Amino acid sequence: MAAPAAESGPCECKSDMASVKAVSSAFPLALRIVAECPVSKARACVLTLPHGSVNTPVFMPVGTQGTMKGITAEQLEQLDCRICLGNTYHLGMRPGPELIEKANGLHGFMNWKRNLLTDSGGFQMVSLVELSEVTEEGVLFRSPYDGKEILLTPEQSVGIQNSLGSDIMMQLDDVVSSTVTGPRVEEAMRRSVRWLDRCISANKNPHRQNLFAIIQGGLNAELRRACLDEMTKRDVPGFAIGGLSGGEEKDDFWKMVTLSTDHLPREKPRYLMGVGYAVDLVVCVALGCDMFDCVFPTRTARFGSALVPWGSLQIKQKQYAKDFQPIDPECECPTCERHSRAYLHALFKSDTAAMHHITIHNISYQLTLMRSVRRSIVEQRFPEFVRSFMRRMFPCGEPYPSWAVEALASVDIALD
Ligand SMILES: [Zn+2]
C-alpha cells in the first residue's frame, strides 16, 4: 500500500502560491494530486487558491446575498469549510456590485476570509426562464425587483464577478434545461464556447481571480465531446461540468459525467455543478470529479429534513417527540453535540432556530462525508469505503439504484 500522503496540516494551510507548482504560472491556482485510487477515477488533491488551500474532493455550500441561508460565515469557518459559493445574479441585483466593491469585495462584505466561488448568473436563466431571452449579445431579462429590462452579457457577468472579487469565477454560459433536445442544445453549446472567449478577454484580474469554463452539450455525447475538444484548447485554470442535474434520467447523467472526466486534463480541477445528494457525490468522486455544490442540504433543512448516513431523518415526525438522542449519535457537529431530536422536534413547531440547527448539521454532514471519502482515497481503500457507504445508505436488503451500480461498475467498483 502506498504511504498515505500528508493530510491537511498546518504546513499545508501556510503553503503559499509560490511554493506549489501552478497549473500555469499565469493563474492564481495550483492543483496538487495527493493520491489516486488505483481502481476507479477517484483522486484526492490539494487545491491552492488566493484565500488558502482546499482539500478535494470538496462540497461547497451555497450562499445567497452574502449570507448562507440559516448559517453565518463564522459558523461555516467553525465547520472548517474552506470554500463556499456566492450568487452573482442575486448580488448583482441587490445590493449591487458597486457597494460590494466598496466593502472590499464579497470577502469583506461577508467577513469571510476563505475562498469564494461565484456563479455567472447564467443558471438563473433556467430558473427564471419565463423572464429571459437569450441572444448572441447576452441574456435579456426583467428584474424581479423593479421590472426593468437588464441585458447580462459575458463581459458584464465577469465585470460583476471582478467587483465581487471571488477566487473562482464562472463563465457566462447559454444554459438549456438538461431535458431539452434538438438543435437548441447545439446552439447553446457553440454559443457557450464563444462566450467563454468573451469572458476570458473581459477578466480584469486574471492574476487574482480564476475563470472556469463550463462544459455544455446536454445529454448528447457527440456534442459534449465537441464542447470538451473546443474548451480544453483554451487556457483556463479549471473546468466545470454544466447542464446536468436538471431532472434528466440518472443513466444519462452519469454517462455525461464520466465522458467529461475522461476528456478533461488531469492537472486541472473538475467541478460538477448542482450535485449534492450523498450517493451522487460518492459515485461522481469515483468518476473523477473534485468539486461539488448544491442548495439541497440547506434547502431540505428548512423542511426539517436532517441528513444521516442511512438517508434522512424527518425531525417533524411524532416518533422523535420523546427521542433524546442527537440527530446522528456519531456526528460531531455543534447541533448534535448540544441538542436532542426531541428538542429540535419541539423547537421546529415554534421557532426558525430549529431550521438553523439542522442547516448546520446538514452542512457538517456534507463536509464530513467528503473528508471521509478523501481519507479513503489517500489511504488507498476507496472501493471498500464505497461498498460500506452504500450498505449503510441502503440497509436491510433495500436494492441499490441501478444507475449507481452501473456507474460504479464502469470504474471497476463492484457492489456486494
Ligand atoms: Zn450533527
Side-chain angles (χ1 to χ4, degrees):
M1 184 191 276
E7 278 288 81
S8 77
C11 52
E12 272 185 3
C13 303
K14 274 186 221 147
S15 77
D16 55 282
M17 301 303 307
S19 68
V20 188
K21 191 179 171 289
V23 164
S24 152
S25 54
F27 299 125
L29 174 154
L31 186 79
R32 183 163 64 85
I33 300 172
V34 173
E36 286 172 298
C37 172
V39 177
S40 69
K41 293 196 270 176
R43 57 205 211 145
C45 308
V46 177
L47 177 63
T48 306
L49 292 166
H51 288 83
S53 65
V54 178
N55 285 345
T56 70
V58 68
F59 178 81
M60 306 178 287
V62 184
T64 302
Q65 296 181 0
T67 52
M68 270 328 108
K69 281 196 173 154
I71 189 164
T72 65
E74 195 182 0
Q75 286 165 329
L76 269 184
E77 220 172 290
Q78 281 163 5
L79 297 176
D80 202 22
C81 171
R82 304 286 185 91
I83 182 167
C84 71
L85 262 74
N87 282 140
T88 294
Y89 168 80
H90 291 290
L91 292 160
M93 290 284 198
R94 231 175 26 180
E98 299 80 12
L99 188 86
I100 292 177
E101 199 165 2
K102 272 186 203 151
N104 284 324
L106 190 49
H107 289 92
F109 188 65
M110 283 176 73
N111 193 22
W112 173 251
K113 293 170 190 67
R114 296 176 174 181
N115 294 293
L116 275 170
L117 182 149
T118 46
D119 64 66
S120 64
F123 179 72
Q124 273 74 19
M125 286 184 234
V126 173
S127 27
L128 299 171
V129 77
E130 69 281 5
L131 298 173
S132 69
E133 186 196 335
V134 182
T135 66
E136 191 58 28
E137 191 50 24
V139 191
L140 189 68
F141 62 94
R142 208 170 279 284
S143 161
Y145 298 117
D146 57 14
K148 275 191 204 142
E149 273 199 346
I150 299 171
L151 177 72
L152 182 68
T153 63
E155 291 77 14
Q156 283 163 340
S157 170
V158 169
I160 296 170
Q161 295 183 79
N162 279 152
S163 297
L164 299 179
S166 49
D167 301 278
I168 298 176
M169 307 186 288
M170 302 308 298
Q171 76 156 107
L172 184 70
D173 52 350
D174 184 359
V175 180
V176 285
S177 163
S178 55
T179 52
V180 168
T181 52
R184 175 72 184 105
V185 181
E186 175 156 14
E187 180 195 49
M189 181 276 278
R190 302 272 173 211
R191 182 171 287 138
S192 295
V193 176
R194 292 191 294 273
W195 284 4
L196 172 59
D197 290 332
R198 288 169 59 185
C199 287
I200 293 171
S201 313
N203 184 5
K204 287 194 291 268
N205 306 322
H207 301 287
R208 269 190 289 135
Q209 294 183 270
N210 296 287
L211 177 72
F212 276 28
I214 305 178
I215 306 297
Q216 291 289 351
L219 305 177
N220 182 317
E222 214 173 296
L223 293 180
R224 281 266 160 196
R225 262 192 294 267
C227 191
L228 282 154
D229 282 347
E230 275 307 313
M231 286 188 171
T232 52
K233 283 180 199 159
R234 272 75 177 168
D235 194 20
V236 288
F239 293 92
I241 303 168
L244 297 175
S245 213
E248 71 278 8
E249 293 293 330
K250 286 284 194 180
D251 283 324
D252 293 323
F253 162 77
W254 78 261
K255 282 173 188 156
M256 291 301 115
V257 172
T258 206
L259 181 151
S260 304
T261 54
D262 278 344
H263 289 79
L264 286 171
R266 178 176 175 268
E267 70 281 3
K268 294 187 181 182
R270 304 151 174 183
Y271 161 31
L272 179 56
M273 302 176 86
V275 167
Y277 295 138
V279 172
D280 301 16
L281 291 172
V282 170
V283 171
C284 292
V285 167
L287 300 179
C289 299
D290 306 310
M291 305 162 73
F292 306 88
D293 80 284
C294 191
V295 292
F296 163 70
T298 39
R299 182 172 290 164
T300 203
R302 296 201 285 278
F303 298 100
S305 181
L307 305 175
V308 286
W310 58 95
S312 65
L313 183 152
Q314 308 307 318
I315 206 72
K316 287 192 276 189
Q317 286 176 356
K318 248 193 217 143
Q319 67 190 97
Y320 301 117
K322 291 177 186 170
D323 185 339
F324 295 101
Q325 296 181 85
I327 293 171
D328 175 4
E330 285 171 31
C331 178
E332 291 173 359
C333 85
T335 300
C336 290
E337 267 175 13
R338 274 180 226 127
H339 303 302
S340 68
R341 294 171 180 178
Y343 171 74
L344 294 170
H345 175 90
L347 196 65
F348 207 92
K349 290 185 178 156
S350 59
D351 198 330
T352 53
M355 293 179 200
H356 178 83
H357 292 311
I358 299 170
T359 301
I360 290 175
H361 166 83
N362 283 359
I363 291 177
S364 172
Y365 170 82
Q366 302 283 105
L367 298 177
T368 307
L369 171 65
M370 298 312 268
R371 276 182 212 123
S372 311
V373 166
R374 186 178 197 276
R375 202 174 312 119
S376 78
I377 300 168
V378 170
E379 293 171 3
Q380 305 279 293
R381 53 176 176 79
F382 177 68
E384 188 40 53
F385 173 91
V386 175
R387 280 187 281 271
S388 67
F389 165 83
M390 292 295 280
R391 273 195 299 270
R392 231 178 147 193
M393 191 57 87
F394 300 93
C396 313
E398 197 187 321
Y400 296 138
S402 59
W403 74 270
V405 175
E406 277 174 46
L408 290 167
S410 80
V411 286
D412 299 322
I413 297 180
L415 296 178
D416 42 22

